[in-house]
Amino acid sequence: MLMSLWSKEVMNTCHAVDNPALSEKPFKLVSELTYKCNLKCIYCHNPVNKSHFNNELTTNQWKTIISEASDLGVVINEFTGGEPTLRRDLIELVDYSKKVGLYTKINTNGSTMTDAQASELYKSGLDAAQVGFPSLEEASHKRITEVDDLLNKRIEGVKNLRKYDIPVYLNVVLTKFNYLEIETIARFAEQYEISEVVFQPAFLFGRAAMHIRNSDNFLPTQKQMDMVQRKLSELATNKLGVKLAPPNMFYYTGEPMPCSWNKEGVIVVTPNGLITPCEPASSLYPEVKFEPVTASRALSDIWNGSSALELFQDTDFLPKICKECEILRSCRGGCRVVTYLLTDDVFREDPTCSLSENRELIKL
């Protein structure tokens, strides 16, 4: 029942869910354990200014949040970051999450995943691991992650997870540096019996938005994405022994990614305990006053009564060009985080929309 109702596509989505049964109550907890990371990926979606999130929650505080989320009806818990394996209590928290009955996964870059840690995660009952995996070529990997000599450790991390039969999903963020590696990565995934490979151009959050604003656009061009789609179709025709998920093409169609603000049934908890409606929303703090979980302010109180989570529930704030658009109902004015990070004005039209006067920022 769990995986039929909350399919993996819904679990990994970053846009509004149409099914009211999935959006009216929380079904997924995203536990951002830390924003610390051993990589410096050019497309990292975490806030560029991390100084607001330094006071990380304790192990017991996380256990309280996980328990309260379960009481609210949450059935999925995703530990992420930053790099969650840098938290010494990750195994303990995974074990606790499983004990309260949650489907539990981690999002990791894989480079710190030792054999011993993979073994402990297996013993704790970890259900799946999503591994960020941008490249199998050393030069491209270095250009994307801005660190040296971690590619082989990433490969070993994947091997260690698979050694203990932990299902692995590869997340390949497409850039102009790695778009030609589709088949190479797919063959690697087939070799190690990866459950699925998701190919997706970078979302324009965090460092990705910063690069765009600095005229350092690393997104694949339209022509390059056409090549990606043709290669994926070719591999599908050849019945490769691994599932390959095609990319969303929001930035390329000129139709913006739909706003998911509090419309996904997802509770996101930042490293210091702030409750946000989606992962990139933390970039709007402190301009948006997200509330923290405290001893006197429970998770359920914030979910049901936070004014910050109620923002952008209608479209009255949007400019005239949006209100008169025929696709407003489906796009809901696009992503407020992308809009703010690229234009400094959360109330403007989404610059990824083909009708936006700021569309020239997205040079594809």
Side-chain angles (χ1 to χ4, degrees):
M1 176 63 178
L2 171 62
M3 293 310 291
S4 61
L5 179 57
W6 291 286
S7 67
K8 184 171 59 55
E9 285 75 13
V10 171
M11 289 166 61
N12 289 330
T13 190
C14 193
H15 53 87
V17 175
D18 293 329
N19 187 344
L22 297 181
S23 60
E24 291 179 356
K25 63 179 183 178
F27 71 95
K28 177 181 176 181
L29 173 68
V30 178
S31 303
E32 295 183 325
L33 297 182
T34 182
Y35 284 155
K36 297 173 184 175
C37 188
N38 58 330
L39 305 181
K40 300 177 182 178
C41 296
I42 57 177
Y43 47 67
C44 178
H45 70 265
N46 289 160
V48 174
N49 183 358
K50 298 178 175 59
S51 62
H52 300 300
F53 309 94
N54 288 335
N55 297 322
E56 295 182 1
L57 298 175
T58 66
T59 304
N60 286 336
Q61 286 174 315
W62 274 115
K63 287 181 177 180
T64 297
I65 288 170
I66 292 167
S67 179
E68 290 182 359
S70 177
D71 291 341
L72 273 173
V74 163
V75 294
I76 300 165
N77 184 18
E78 179 178 307
F79 290 111
T80 185
E83 176 49 50
T85 61
L86 298 181
R87 285 273 304 215
R88 295 182 178 180
D89 55 0
L90 176 63
I91 306 297
E92 181 178 351
L93 290 174
V94 169
D95 182 71
Y96 185 82
S97 181
K98 290 299 298 179
K99 284 180 178 177
V100 299
L102 302 185
Y103 178 96
T104 305
K105 59 181 289 193
I106 62 169
N107 287 355
T108 174
N109 66 46
S111 65
T112 61
M113 185 58 63
T114 63
D115 182 280
Q117 188 173 51
S119 174
E120 290 302 312
L121 286 169
Y122 169 75
K123 293 175 184 177
S124 70
L126 182 70
D127 290 291
Q130 178 173 299
V131 180
F133 204 86
S135 180
L136 279 166
E137 297 180 5
E138 190 67 52
S140 296
H141 187 271
K142 179 179 178 179
R143 178 65 181 83
I144 292 169
T145 64
E146 298 185 351
V147 297
D148 294 320
D149 305 325
L150 282 183
L151 175 57
N152 288 332
K153 289 185 177 180
R154 250 179 152 155
I155 293 171
E156 285 302 310
V158 171
K159 292 179 181 179
N160 289 334
L161 289 165
R162 293 302 300 130
K163 175 181 177 181
Y164 295 97
D165 206 30
I166 297 173
V168 171
Y169 300 85
L170 295 187
N171 181 36
V172 182
V173 179
L174 295 171
T175 72
K176 63 184 181 183
F177 308 115
N178 65 352
Y179 74 96
L180 291 175
E181 294 187 57
I182 302 299
E183 182 166 359
T184 305
I185 293 174
R187 297 291 180 189
F188 170 85
E190 182 181 40
Q191 179 182 356
Y192 291 101
E193 298 182 315
I194 301 300
S195 299
E196 183 177 33
V197 185
V198 178
F199 295 97
Q200 179 61 47
F203 291 118
L204 299 181
F205 309 131
R207 295 195 76 206
M210 179 187 71
H211 279 279
I212 294 293
R213 293 198 64 159
N214 291 337
S215 300
D216 181 18
N217 191 345
F218 55 78
L219 290 174
T221 64
Q222 179 71 63
K223 183 178 180 180
Q224 290 167 345
M225 285 305 300
D226 290 342
M227 294 173 63
V228 167
Q229 291 183 306
R230 286 196 297 270
K231 176 56 70 173
L232 289 172
S233 295
E234 175 189 320
L235 292 172
T237 301
N238 294 337
K239 296 182 179 179
L240 194 69
V242 61
K243 183 177 179 181
L244 306 177
N248 289 317
M249 297 291 286
F250 294 119
Y251 302 152
Y252 298 86
T253 63
E255 183 174 333
M257 180 171 62
C259 177
S260 63
W261 198 276
N262 206 26
K263 292 293 183 181
E264 286 187 329
V266 176
I267 302 174
V268 181
V269 185
T270 66
N272 61 333
L274 298 177
I275 306 304
T276 75
C278 59
E279 289 180 66
S282 55
S283 288
L284 299 184
Y285 184 79
E287 283 76 11
V288 175
K289 305 298 183 183
F290 296 116
E291 295 185 59
V293 173
T294 64
S296 60
R297 184 70 162 155
L299 182 63
S300 59
D301 296 332
I302 298 174
W303 174 261
N304 293 313
S306 170
S307 58
L309 298 185
E310 294 299 319
L311 292 173
F312 314 123
Q313 294 302 292
D314 57 45
T315 55
D316 293 343
F317 66 90
L318 290 170
K320 182 178 179 182
I321 190 173
C322 294
K323 292 178 181 178
E324 295 177 349
C325 183
E326 61 184 9
I327 67 167
L328 176 59
R329 184 176 180 182
S330 61
C331 85
R332 296 183 53 81
C335 178
R336 295 299 93 202
V337 180
V338 169
T339 301
Y340 177 78
L341 292 178
L342 295 185
T343 71
D344 296 322
D345 184 352
V346 74
F347 300 112
R348 297 192 69 161
E349 70 274 12
D350 187 326
T352 67
C353 177
S354 59
L355 300 179
S356 170
E357 63 182 41
N358 293 299
R359 174 66 183 182
E360 73 276 1
L361 289 170
I362 315 298
K363 299 178 178 67
L364 302 174

